Amino acid sequence: MKRLALALLSLGLLGLSTAAAADPMSFQELSLLLRTGETPQSILDEAVRRKLLLPLTAEQEATLRSAGASQDLLTALHTPELLASRDAVALYRSRHPATPPPVPAASIPSAQQAVASPAPTAATPARPPAPLPDLFTNGLETAKNAPVGAVRMTYAFHLDQLETAKAKAQREHKPLGFIMVWNQFFNTRASTRLSGGTNSLLHFCEAFKDSLVLVFVHHENELDKVPRAVAAGFQGPDEGGWAPNMAVVDATVSQLIVEIPCAGPNGGGAERDAVFKAGAAKIQAWMNTHRTATAAPAGSVAR
């Protein structure tokens, strides 16, 4: 009997998702997805694709938690970029007249406030999501002590693998780092502490291999083939004409986040440490407002 009920519920969900595929996701749909066993990642991916109809109230968040929602999922669902636009909400309401009116954001307490005060008597401003954990310091520090070694062509994606690289970046919620290289930089022993292009490339790879999805762009024949956002980074004021350097863009390759140079041909590891740290701080700040690593539709270039 239980199995039949689950089957009927799944069929109902299928009909709902098919009929409303273009609609923003409601709280009721989020709850149903959780109760039918959908994974947090698939729910988040669907929310990123369709956006949320309304921000979650503390009571709704508690209901989702009781249905199996993790704290990471609930935090992600509070990301401002996941809310549907006014036009999308208005269109939804024109098709669903019985939809309750939106609750003003200022009247939605956070989950922590709801636990501390089950019956608040005054409106409480909603808190923004907590900053993400530090995504870059560990890689930057580990790179300082990386063993001497040679960079291989296989250490990153290539430009003709861009769609695969983008899919990985979107799946793992990471920005993309496009590194301008010369063929001569590869298969030669290098150190992250020394100056020169070969050593700089090893330093880039060791410092950012875990926090970004890396793509090599060959100076010899690929500079005119890169997406516009990447070209903006390669041509920016910080690049200085030296390779390697890196243009960091969002996971859809639509927005430049920051350009990170190599500290010039005579800059050694200590100089690059400072440059890389400053660039990583800009990426971290951008990630705190773009939790899915994709640019907001109306986002501006972050420099």
Side-chain angles (χ1 to χ4, degrees):
M1 190 69 180
K2 183 178 180 181
R3 184 176 301 174
L4 176 60
L6 286 174
L8 290 174
L9 187 59
S10 298
L11 287 173
L13 175 61
L14 178 62
L16 174 63
S17 60
T18 302
D23 285 339
M25 294 181 70
S26 65
F27 159 71
Q28 290 78 6
E29 187 173 353
L30 287 171
S31 178
L32 186 56
L33 288 170
L34 283 165
R35 287 185 282 114
T36 53
E38 289 294 325
T39 65
Q41 186 61 58
S42 65
I43 293 174
L44 182 58
D45 289 344
E46 189 69 2
V48 169
R49 185 175 71 85
R50 291 170 48 198
K51 307 301 182 185
L52 300 180
L53 180 63
L54 296 171
L56 296 174
T57 66
E59 181 180 358
Q60 289 172 341
E61 186 172 316
T63 299
L64 295 179
R65 184 179 286 107
S66 67
S70 65
Q71 185 56 51
D72 286 345
L73 175 60
L74 294 174
T75 299
L77 291 175
H78 279 292
T79 304
E81 286 92 12
L82 287 188
L83 290 179
S85 66
R86 291 183 179 179
D87 290 344
V89 173
L91 180 61
Y92 180 93
R93 292 183 183 285
S94 70
R95 294 199 296 261
H96 306 275
T99 304
V103 179
S107 68
I108 303 174
S110 68
Q112 292 179 344
Q113 293 170 329
V115 172
S117 306
T121 57
T124 306
R127 292 181 181 178
L132 291 171
D134 188 318
L135 304 175
F136 298 94
T137 297
N138 184 63
L140 296 174
E141 291 299 315
T142 300
K144 294 177 182 179
N145 301 307
V148 172
V151 178
R152 310 296 180 190
M153 292 284 190
T154 55
Y155 280 18
F157 288 98
H158 293 260
L159 203 56
D160 60 4
Q161 300 170 314
L162 180 56
E163 291 307 312
T164 303
K166 287 168 59 178
K168 178 179 174 67
Q170 293 171 35
R171 184 172 63 251
E172 297 182 0
H173 304 297
K174 294 178 179 179
L176 287 145
F178 288 77
I179 305 178
M180 183 195 298
V181 298
W182 288 95
N183 290 341
Q184 67 198 44
F185 293 160
F186 294 91
N187 304 317
T188 301
R189 285 174 61 82
S191 167
T192 63
R193 299 295 87 198
L194 300 178
S195 62
T198 301
N199 301 305
S200 297
L201 178 58
L202 178 65
H203 201 166
F204 269 114
C205 292
E206 292 292 338
F208 295 102
K209 64 183 179 181
D210 295 324
S211 52
L212 304 175
V213 174
L214 300 180
V215 180
F216 289 145
V217 177
H218 291 267
H219 194 292
E220 290 87 348
N221 58 3
E222 292 184 331
L223 291 185
D224 60 344
K225 301 175 183 177
V226 298
R228 182 177 301 178
V230 178
F234 286 164
Q235 298 166 7
D238 293 336
E239 188 270 318
W242 303 106
N245 67 293
M246 182 166 69
V248 182
V249 301
D250 77 296
T252 65
V253 198
S254 61
Q255 183 184 79
L256 175 66
I257 300 173
V258 67
E259 53 179 305
I260 303 181
C262 68
N266 300 316
E271 289 85 352
R272 287 193 301 271
D273 290 339
V275 172
F276 287 7
K277 182 178 180 180
K282 293 181 180 180
I283 306 171
Q284 179 78 43
W286 186 89
M287 286 293 297
N288 283 330
T289 57
H290 298 76
R291 299 302 178 99
T292 60
T294 57
S300 58
V301 174
R303 298 301 298 271

